Amino acid sequence: MSSQELVTLNVGGKIFTTRCSTIKQFPASRLTRMMEGTDQEFKMVGGQIFVDRDGMLFSFILDFLRTHQLLFPADFSDYLRLQREALFYELDPLVDLLNQEDRLLPRPALVEVQFLSRNTQAFFRVFGSCSKTIEMLTGRITVFVEQPSALTWSSNSFPPQMTLLPLPPQRPSYHDLVFWCGSDNTTDNQTGVRYVSIKPDNRKLANGTNVLGLLIDTLLMEGFHLVSTRTSSSEDKTECYSFERIKRPEVLTMNKTLKPETTLSEQSQKKK
């Protein structure tokens, strides 16, 4: 590769070396005019093109020129300043992507677990800001209900033989699920103890505290972080556990239907 195929830029004191073709791929941009020497804003100093702009932000611009994609670290927040730089360089495809800031920002996924222990029963309600989280938990949680077997109903055997009937948790809406475990000693029905199993753990648990611990472990393994706990002020003393997981921002890719080297005048000529 000859030295004529490379260009060195000094952007605000930060040095970048790249291919000339990388900088010139958008003919309507100021970067192309800079390379052609027709924009007086940019000067050649010591074999380097000096650009009096933010060098740190230019690293994201150069990454876009190389990949046609936008991907930021989780702690990035200078979207408005980067958009200002993209406008300065007249990089319209980059400006278009930056206008989709809602897809670029890392968004938190929230989960709240409500737990109520009453006598020999424990009740759970899980709320999620993302329905996919609730779907994941629904697929992992199974409630097993003790019921007398068919053999028991047709004979006088005592104690009665019990079988476990698997049931999914209830889904009042897309964003929450409900289930309970333990035994109901206040009724005379023929159902026995309710157990809960949460995959990949194969244990069937009837103790509410144990189920709560397994549910919390499941959320932690899925990348959630426990951010707060509280007890409601109502008489039932429901315990509330709040979790948060930062969703990774999307990778935005430039629309490839128009090639970068296609100018507006060329497009209008093709339409004619």
Side-chain angles (χ1 to χ4, degrees):
M1 182 182 297
S2 66
S3 59
Q4 293 181 346
E5 297 178 24
L6 299 177
V7 61
T8 299
L9 307 177
N10 182 339
V11 184
K14 193 173 179 64
I15 307 300
F16 301 90
T17 299
T18 187
R19 296 174 183 266
C20 295
S21 58
T22 300
I23 299 296
K24 295 177 64 176
Q25 62 185 294
F26 295 101
S29 72
R30 294 190 70 179
L31 291 173
T32 296
R33 299 199 300 271
M34 173 188 72
M35 296 297 298
E36 295 174 349
T38 59
D39 193 318
Q40 300 303 313
E41 176 78 19
F42 310 101
K43 303 293 184 180
M44 182 71 71
V45 179
Q48 301 173 350
I49 299 178
F50 178 72
V51 183
D52 192 15
R53 303 296 295 188
D54 190 304
M56 186 63 67
L57 293 177
F58 187 79
S59 64
F60 295 102
I61 292 175
L62 184 57
D63 183 66
F64 166 76
L65 294 174
R66 289 168 171 163
T67 65
H68 295 171
Q69 293 182 337
L70 271 183
L71 178 61
F72 299 110
D75 58 349
F76 184 80
S77 60
D78 285 338
Y79 295 99
L80 292 179
R81 294 180 61 227
L82 182 58
Q83 188 175 55
R84 182 185 64 189
E85 295 301 293
L87 289 169
F88 171 81
Y89 294 112
E90 299 177 11
L91 289 168
D92 292 341
L94 177 56
V95 174
D96 292 340
L97 290 184
L98 288 169
N99 284 334
Q100 304 177 51
E101 182 180 348
D102 58 323
R103 297 174 60 192
L104 293 169
L105 290 171
R107 294 172 293 172
L110 306 177
V111 170
E112 181 177 88
V113 176
Q114 295 184 357
F115 170 68
L116 171 62
S117 180
R118 179 181 296 166
N119 299 323
T120 58
Q121 296 174 305
F123 300 88
F124 295 84
R125 188 162 199 156
V126 183
F127 296 90
S129 63
C130 178
S131 61
K132 290 183 178 180
T133 302
I134 300 301
E135 290 174 5
M136 178 274 294
L137 290 174
T138 301
R140 292 193 181 188
I141 297 173
T142 304
V143 179
F144 293 90
V145 181
E146 276 189 346
Q147 288 190 334
S149 66
L151 180 62
T152 300
W153 288 110
S154 60
S155 65
N156 295 322
S157 61
F158 186 85
Q161 298 180 6
M162 308 296 285
T163 59
L164 293 179
L165 176 66
L167 298 172
Q170 298 177 15
R171 290 284 301 274
S173 73
Y174 289 110
H175 292 277
D176 64 334
L177 61 87
V178 177
F179 60 94
W180 66 274
C181 63
S183 59
D184 187 357
N185 296 328
T186 63
T187 62
D188 296 328
N189 58 26
Q190 297 297 317
T191 60
V193 179
R194 281 184 174 236
Y195 301 89
V196 171
S197 177
I198 305 179
K199 298 176 182 177
D201 194 299
N202 294 320
R203 292 175 297 168
K204 297 177 178 64
L205 305 175
N207 181 278
T209 302
N210 293 340
V211 174
L212 176 63
L214 184 56
L215 179 58
I216 290 176
D217 287 344
T218 300
L219 291 171
L220 294 177
M221 286 189 293
E222 286 296 317
F224 284 90
H225 302 279
L226 181 63
V227 294
S228 68
T229 61
R230 60 185 174 84
T231 301
S232 65
S233 58
S234 60
E235 293 182 0
D236 57 19
K237 299 298 182 181
T238 300
E239 299 176 16
C240 300
Y241 300 82
S242 299
F243 298 83
E244 180 182 86
R245 180 178 65 187
I246 301 298
K247 298 173 64 177
R248 298 182 66 86
E250 297 182 45
V251 179
L252 298 188
T253 303
M254 187 186 73
N255 188 347
K256 297 296 183 64
T257 56
L258 293 178
K259 295 182 178 180
E261 62 271 14
T262 303
T263 62
L264 294 176
S265 60
E266 289 174 342
Q267 294 175 38
S268 60
Q269 290 175 3
K270 289 180 182 180
K271 292 180 180 178
K272 294 179 181 179

